[in-house]
Amino acid sequence: MAQLSMEEARALAERALRKAGAREAMAASTAQALVRAEAQGLASHGLTRVPQYATHLRNGRADGLAVAVVARQKGAALLIDAKHGLAFPACDLAIGNAIATARTLGVCFVGITNSHHCGVLVDHLRAVTDAGMIGLGFANSPSAMPAAGGKHPIFGTNPVAAAFPRRNNAPLMIDLSLSEVARGKVMVAAKEGKPIPLGWALDRDGNPTTDAKAALEGSMLPLGAVSSPKGSMLALMVELLVTAVIGAQFGFEASSFFVDEGNVPRLGQAFLVIDPGALAGSDAYYDRIEILIAEMLSDEGVRLAGARRTGLERRADESGLTIPDALKNQLDMLAA
Amino acid sequence: MAQLSMEEARALAERALRKAGAREAMAASTAQALVRAEAQGLASHGLTRVPQYATHLRNGRADGLAVAVVARQKGAALLIDAKHGLAFPACDLAIGNAIATARTLGVCFVGITNSHHCGVLVDHLRAVTDAGMIGLGFANSPSAMPAAGGKHPIFGTNPVAAAFPRRNNAPLMIDLSLSEVARGKVMVAAKEGKPIPLGWALDRDGNPTTDAKAALEGSMLPLGAVSSPKGSMLALMVELLVTAVIGAQFGFEASSFFVDEGNVPRLGQAFLVIDPGALAGSDAYYDRIEILIAEMLSDEGVRLAGARRTGLERRADESGLTIPDALKNQLDMLAA
């Protein structure tokens, strides 16, 4: 394993993205987000994405020279065009404008069209909680899950995120994809030759399967799919919010991020920013969230959303990151 | 079983609520909503609620003379105070104002505080889709589910709803509570002496149970709880959105709706209304949603969200409602 300080990791990722064709601000924003994910223990959204994004920058699936713009604003509704660039600078622009709008209009809904993979969705909401506001996030992704009753993937795992500021503590951070489990869990089972529970996945013919290898060729199932269509209904809701409503492409129209060749994904993200000062009032909000959290923690065994990630990130800030040698070598080559 | 036309059922429910002390507009709005739920086959949110609401109106858990007001508006953020009345007139006021605000500002987030049970959440969004807009809805309810890792109920089953208009078809209507299954399914199993699957519920000590009777004394589990804390994270997100952010009471602070005596629930609802005309543009929106729906329906076995309810409602409009004799007698007595 290789050791890097946070700053070394950031600089290395930034250089690799620059070499692949990302303009300075895009490389900087993207590198910072990926290092932050790595620091939180979210390796699947961390530095392993640098080679993937670099490939997309090189083969035209993402435009390294794109400059995201405010395409439209009507009151508290805002549309950002990522112009087929990496998603991070477009998300920065969206969130910055949404906070400013919510400050005057109490709330802002911002959509980002022509976008790419947005990494850890909830991390985009950090600036929102820093501003004392509440944020929700939605995103689609290349198709991986069937509609209710269906046999073939149509929706992405379509994450939902929420962030709630606290007065004297790290914000409450919620971030989840709408599949029953992450694909990574199926990959681990396949590697170990172990079966998976019913309700995790379908095989390529759309039949429920306990065979991890068959599952990898099929679809992931939505949250709670063994009992009801609720998870797929939520995935449909997210899909429409970030596509038809704002102009981005459906998950079934986008090629997987994990193949090198493929189309420009043109996916969508959307954020809702709410100023509690315009509703309950900020003092009331901060008082009340602590009452709920105290009640939650009075039940032994309850852990707060995002607490584990926050702890890992604090440790990484002090002691740096540890990544596989192979990944370190790959990054060094890309940055050279 | 007793047969009633829709109009007879509406008038009967309205009279019963009036007799219990609801002012005219509150009784009318509530009766219409409950009959609509009954017509859609949602008996648990239909006419059986009339006796429950009547009891609450009589014992002060709901104020029949309350007149909901706009308590605050800042730009696109709107706060309605239901003044401890039944929820329906407050929801009507909220949605009417939210549509008007979204027409000028593109979007509106409206919270309703000091509220009561809001019935079928998605039905409040019908006026939104009639106006060519998209609506989301959130609500909390008396505590029924534990936080992630917890043993005791803290969150309600906290429903999420979404409604998306279509050009020449009934809107797509999504409405789901965040429990793995409805409590009604556990009650049926308990009655039949059958076990329930693991992942549906905990017993009163917070242990996973397959005993339906033990489950009824414990907590319902959130969506997908057998695999992950995702469902309880969503319930936490909804809980905070409709309480701390807008000033309403937490689910754990409200007495159950199913006990006669108890406190004034002071629960919360929130709606987000988005005008696609301010983002992708209405034509683009209507074109794109049809493309997604066509792709969904190309997968044999997929049924659209809300289609079953819409079909049942249409039939009820033509042939009326059938309700148990006992319920009919109860309504007649309340209305006499």
Side-chain angles (χ1 to χ4, degrees):
Chain A
M1 301 293 276
Q3 282 280 346
L4 296 97
S5 73
M6 292 281 279
E7 178 47 31
E8 285 165 349
R10 205 202 48 70
L12 183 59
E14 186 175 336
R15 272 203 308 279
L17 293 163
R18 291 279 284 150
K19 287 273 176 188
R23 65 188 177 83
E24 206 172 317
M26 186 186 291
S29 165
T30 307
Q32 171 150 335
L34 297 180
V35 168
R36 187 179 275 160
E38 190 77 37
Q40 293 174 84
L42 305 166
S44 66
H45 287 57
L47 292 168
T48 59
R49 293 282 178 166
V50 174
Q52 181 187 73
Y53 293 174
T55 300
H56 289 195
L57 288 164
R58 288 211 165 88
N59 69 15
R61 293 192 68 191
D63 179 358
L65 301 179
V67 178
V69 295
V70 177
R72 199 163 177 204
Q73 174 146 20
K74 181 180 175 184
L78 191 60
L79 183 64
I80 303 292
D81 188 338
K83 300 271 183 183
H84 314 131
L86 295 179
F88 300 89
C91 289
D92 295 344
L93 181 69
I95 291 291
N97 278 275
I99 292 169
T101 300
R103 202 160 271 143
T104 55
L105 294 178
V107 56
C108 181
F109 178 84
V110 56
I112 306 171
T113 185
N114 293 322
S115 194
H116 191 265
H117 182 254
C118 72
V120 177
L121 186 59
V122 77
D123 277 348
H124 298 293
L125 299 172
R126 290 179 179 223
V128 174
T129 55
D130 287 348
M133 297 186 191
I134 285 100
L136 302 191
F138 307 94
N140 73 338
S141 50
S143 59
M145 312 197 299
K151 290 178 175 295
H152 305 290
I154 180 165
F155 304 131
T157 51
N158 292 8
V160 174
F164 295 90
R166 297 175 64 186
R167 207 178 253 134
N168 299 313
N169 282 90
L172 220 52
M173 309 266 274
I174 293 169
D175 193 342
L176 52 108
S177 69
L178 290 173
S179 54
E180 175 77 6
V181 297
R183 200 181 180 79
K185 283 200 184 182
V186 181
M187 289 165 71
V188 169
K191 230 177 230 171
E192 295 175 350
K194 287 186 180 158
I196 55 171
L198 269 180
W200 282 18
L202 303 178
D203 67 18
R204 69 198 312 173
D205 299 319
N207 298 313
T209 186
T210 57
D211 179 337
K213 276 183 186 137
L216 289 176
E217 292 169 5
S219 336
M220 299 304 298
L221 277 171
L223 193 56
V226 84
S227 297
S228 79
K230 293 178 181 185
S232 75
M233 294 296 163
L234 288 171
L236 168 60
M237 176 187 95
V238 171
E239 187 80 24
L240 283 170
L241 266 186
V242 303
T243 58
V245 177
I246 67 170
Q249 192 157 258
F250 297 120
F252 78 85
E253 295 170 325
S255 311
S256 166
F257 287 121
F258 293 99
V259 295
D260 290 346
E261 300 306 319
N263 62 7
V264 176
R266 294 192 53 232
L267 292 172
Q269 289 97 32
F271 299 101
L272 177 68
V273 174
I274 305 170
D275 180 5
L279 293 154
S282 287
D283 284 345
Y285 164 79
Y286 282 119
D287 291 347
R288 293 291 289 161
I289 188 173
E290 292 309 320
I291 289 170
L292 182 64
I293 288 173
E295 181 72 16
M296 287 170 68
L297 294 178
S298 75
D299 193 353
E300 217 182 324
V302 170
R303 287 199 316 185
L304 290 187
R308 188 175 154 278
R309 291 183 186 181
T310 308
L312 287 173
E313 190 178 0
R314 212 165 285 157
R315 204 160 60 191
D317 276 330
E318 288 162 16
S319 343
L321 300 171
T322 308
I323 61 171
D325 286 324
L327 176 58
K328 174 68 164 55
N329 293 339
Q330 204 179 5
L331 295 175
D332 284 337
M333 278 174 56
L334 286 168
Chain B
M1 301 293 276
Q3 281 280 346
L4 297 97
S5 74
M6 292 280 281
E7 178 47 31
E8 285 165 350
R10 204 201 48 69
L12 183 59
E14 187 175 335
R15 272 204 309 279
L17 292 164
R18 291 277 284 149
K19 287 272 177 189
R23 65 188 176 83
E24 205 171 319
M26 188 187 289
S29 164
T30 306
Q32 171 149 335
L34 297 180
V35 167
R36 188 180 273 158
E38 191 77 36
Q40 293 173 83
L42 304 167
S44 65
H45 288 57
L47 292 168
T48 60
R49 293 283 177 168
V50 175
Q52 182 187 72
Y53 293 174
T55 301
H56 289 197
L57 287 164
R58 288 209 166 90
N59 69 15
R61 293 192 66 190
D63 179 359
L65 301 179
V67 179
V69 296
V70 176
R72 198 164 177 202
Q73 175 147 21
K74 181 178 175 186
L78 191 59
L79 183 64
I80 303 293
D81 188 338
K83 300 270 184 184
H84 313 132
L86 295 179
F88 300 88
C91 289
D92 295 344
L93 181 68
I95 291 292
N97 278 276
I99 292 169
T101 300
R103 203 161 268 142
T104 56
L105 294 179
V107 56
C108 181
F109 178 85
V110 57
I112 305 170
T113 185
N114 293 323
S115 194
H116 191 265
H117 182 254
C118 73
V120 178
L121 186 60
V122 76
D123 278 348
H124 298 292
L125 299 173
R126 289 178 181 223
V128 175
T129 55
D130 286 348
M133 299 186 190
I134 285 99
L136 302 191
F138 307 94
N140 73 338
S141 48
S143 59
M145 312 197 299
K151 290 178 175 296
H152 305 290
I154 180 164
F155 305 130
T157 51
N158 293 8
V160 174
F164 296 90
R166 297 175 64 185
R167 205 178 258 132
N168 299 312
N169 283 89
L172 220 51
M173 310 265 274
I174 294 169
D175 193 342
L176 53 109
S177 69
L178 290 173
S179 54
E180 176 77 5
V181 297
R183 200 181 179 80
K185 283 201 184 182
V186 181
M187 288 164 73
V188 169
K191 229 178 232 172
E192 296 175 351
K194 286 185 181 159
I196 55 171
L198 268 180
W200 281 19
L202 302 179
D203 66 20
R204 69 197 312 173
D205 300 319
N207 299 312
T209 186
T210 57
D211 178 337
K213 277 183 187 140
L216 288 176
E217 294 169 5
S219 337
M220 299 302 299
L221 277 171
L223 192 57
V226 84
S227 297
S228 79
K230 291 177 182 185
S232 74
M233 295 294 162
L234 288 171
L236 168 60
M237 176 186 94
V238 171
E239 187 80 25
L240 283 170
L241 265 185
V242 303
T243 58
V245 177
I246 66 170
Q249 193 158 258
F250 298 120
F252 78 85
E253 296 170 325
S255 312
S256 166
F257 287 120
F258 293 99
V259 294
D260 290 345
E261 300 305 317
N263 62 8
V264 176
R266 295 191 54 230
L267 292 172
Q269 289 97 31
F271 299 101
L272 177 69
V273 174
I274 305 169
D275 179 5
L279 293 154
S282 288
D283 284 345
Y285 164 79
Y286 283 119
D287 290 347
R288 293 291 289 160
I289 189 173
E290 293 307 320
I291 290 171
L292 182 64
I293 288 173
E295 181 72 17
M296 287 170 67
L297 294 178
S298 75
D299 193 352
E300 219 183 321
V302 170
R303 286 199 318 185
L304 289 187
R308 188 176 153 277
R309 292 183 186 181
T310 308
L312 287 172
E313 190 179 1
R314 211 165 285 157
R315 205 160 60 191
D317 276 331
E318 288 162 15
S319 342
L321 299 171
T322 308
I323 62 172
D325 287 323
L327 177 58
K328 174 69 165 55
N329 293 339
Q330 204 178 6
L331 295 176
D332 284 337
M333 278 174 55
L334 286 168

